[in-house]
Amino acid sequence: MKIRKKIKLFLQEIILDKKTIIILLQKLTQAVLGILFIFLVINFFEIEDQALYYSMSSILSAYVLFDLGFFSFLLQKSSMYVGLKNKNLYWSFFLWNIKFYFLVFLLILSLIPIGFLFFGYEFYQSYFYEWIFVVFIIGIGFAFQAFTNIIEAKQFIFSYKMRIYSNIFAAISSITFFLNGLGFLSLASLSLGYILTGIFYLNKNIHKILSSTTTKINWKQNILKYQKNVALYFAGFYLFINLPVILSHNLFSKENVAGIGVTIVIANVLIYLATSPIISIIPSF
């Protein structure tokens, strides 16, 4: 009887909890998306294009470095304002981030010439417009992905629904791209999903953001001390996950590069699924 009671309590506290369910759904859709990418790349691309796809993905993943880890700090900072019940500070912080991530977007555009230099003139001739499009969309999408972290502090369930819808849109758009011979554009599919869900949110709340009283945020005093701690982690994680593909692009055969790329995608899926849901709990202040 005690065991049955404990199981029932466990189900009530864990499985039936709305926040837990939405987190699991988001993780599931993200994992399925990663597996879908592998399936599409293997079935629609020759081995040379597979190697190029994973190399492009590794270069593009550098976008996470351009805000020096500030992305991971947004939820905690926003939660503090929500905990203080200060709506003006919250919306003012949102507005500050719109400006900040516009600057980050401009920095991310530097990946355009970096990609052309890394892949060479033949790539420049063959994928000029595709590369510019993908970098441009990823730069914008990173901003909207960051905004989702701010939204999470105030509307937890809604923010995870945004992520789930973004994953679903990415899956549908990726299949569409590959079926139409535009597989390389799928590198921007998830960013497109975040842009669409983010525009929907901003359309409903832009007046609150713009009408907030501007609060000056001292980046050096209030943010940098935390940012330094995560910037090194993001740089290390990026190098650990993506550097093998980048280095192998010109050193090994295309088969080896493609194999390493698949391994990295699978590793990312496993790491994502293994991430403790504790990181998704809103801090209390």
Side-chain angles (χ1 to χ4, degrees):
M1 183 64 71
K2 289 183 178 180
I3 295 176
R4 288 182 61 185
K5 188 176 181 180
K6 288 182 178 179
I7 293 175
K8 186 177 180 180
L9 288 172
F10 175 80
L11 293 174
Q12 289 176 341
E13 294 296 325
I14 303 297
I15 298 179
L16 298 181
D17 179 73
K18 286 184 178 180
K19 290 184 178 180
T20 303
I21 291 174
I22 201 75
I23 291 172
L24 292 175
L25 283 174
Q26 195 266 333
K27 287 180 177 290
L28 179 62
T29 55
Q30 186 74 37
V32 170
L33 182 62
I35 296 171
L36 176 65
F37 279 137
I38 295 175
F39 174 82
L40 292 172
V41 171
I42 290 175
N43 285 276
F44 285 88
F45 278 162
E46 298 295 333
I47 196 67
E48 291 79 9
D49 287 336
Q50 291 181 34
L52 179 60
Y53 184 93
Y54 290 121
S55 297
M56 289 170 67
S57 177
S58 294
I59 296 290
L60 291 167
S61 295
Y63 75 86
V64 299
L65 304 176
F66 285 91
D67 73 338
L68 299 177
F70 186 56
F71 174 88
S72 63
F73 179 60
L74 292 174
L75 175 59
Q76 288 76 13
K77 191 70 174 177
S78 304
S79 298
M80 183 177 68
Y81 296 142
V82 173
L84 293 172
K85 300 186 185 305
N86 192 323
K87 292 182 179 180
N88 181 67
L89 277 176
Y90 174 83
W91 293 116
S92 179
F93 184 64
F94 206 124
L95 179 60
W96 185 88
N97 275 278
I98 291 176
K99 299 174 183 177
F100 175 77
Y101 276 95
F102 175 74
L103 297 177
V104 172
F105 162 72
L106 295 179
L107 292 174
I108 290 175
L109 292 182
S110 65
L111 290 176
I112 294 175
I114 289 174
F116 289 142
L117 288 171
F118 179 81
F119 292 112
Y121 184 69
E122 186 178 342
F123 175 84
Y124 173 84
Q125 285 186 309
S126 302
Y127 301 103
F128 179 81
Y129 294 108
E130 289 91 337
W131 182 249
I132 290 177
F133 173 82
V134 169
V135 173
F136 192 85
I137 294 300
I138 285 178
I140 299 174
F142 185 41
F144 282 96
Q145 196 173 354
F147 301 157
T148 307
N149 278 6
I150 302 176
I151 296 167
E152 182 178 344
K154 194 175 181 66
Q155 297 171 273
F156 183 90
I157 300 294
F158 182 76
S159 70
Y160 269 84
K161 286 182 178 179
M162 290 175 67
R163 294 183 176 106
I164 292 171
Y165 294 148
S166 297
N167 291 336
I168 294 173
F169 176 85
I172 296 172
S173 61
S174 293
I175 293 172
T176 304
F177 285 139
F178 275 97
L179 289 175
N180 288 278
L182 301 169
F184 287 108
L185 297 186
S186 67
L187 290 164
S189 58
L190 184 58
S191 295
L192 281 170
Y194 274 107
I195 291 171
L196 291 176
T197 56
I199 288 175
F200 173 79
Y201 179 84
L202 288 179
N203 185 54
K204 295 181 65 176
N205 295 278
I206 192 65
H207 63 286
K208 296 178 183 177
I209 298 172
L210 296 179
S211 62
S212 62
T213 305
T214 304
T215 302
K216 187 176 181 180
I217 298 176
N218 190 316
W219 176 76
K220 185 175 182 180
Q221 182 179 346
N222 299 325
I223 296 174
L224 180 60
K225 57 183 178 180
Y226 303 104
Q227 198 172 15
K228 287 190 298 185
N229 296 329
V230 296
L232 185 60
Y233 163 78
F234 272 91
F237 184 78
Y238 170 79
L239 293 175
F240 176 75
I241 292 294
N242 295 285
L243 194 59
V245 179
I246 295 173
L247 291 178
S248 64
H249 181 77
N250 293 315
L251 295 177
F252 303 117
S253 66
K254 301 305 180 184
E255 290 83 358
N256 287 332
V257 177
I260 294 172
V262 171
T263 303
I264 295 302
V265 173
I266 294 174
N268 267 316
V269 170
L270 293 175
I271 290 171
Y272 191 81
L273 288 175
T275 303
S276 170
I278 292 175
I279 65 169
S280 299
I281 297 175
I282 299 177
S284 300
F285 294 91

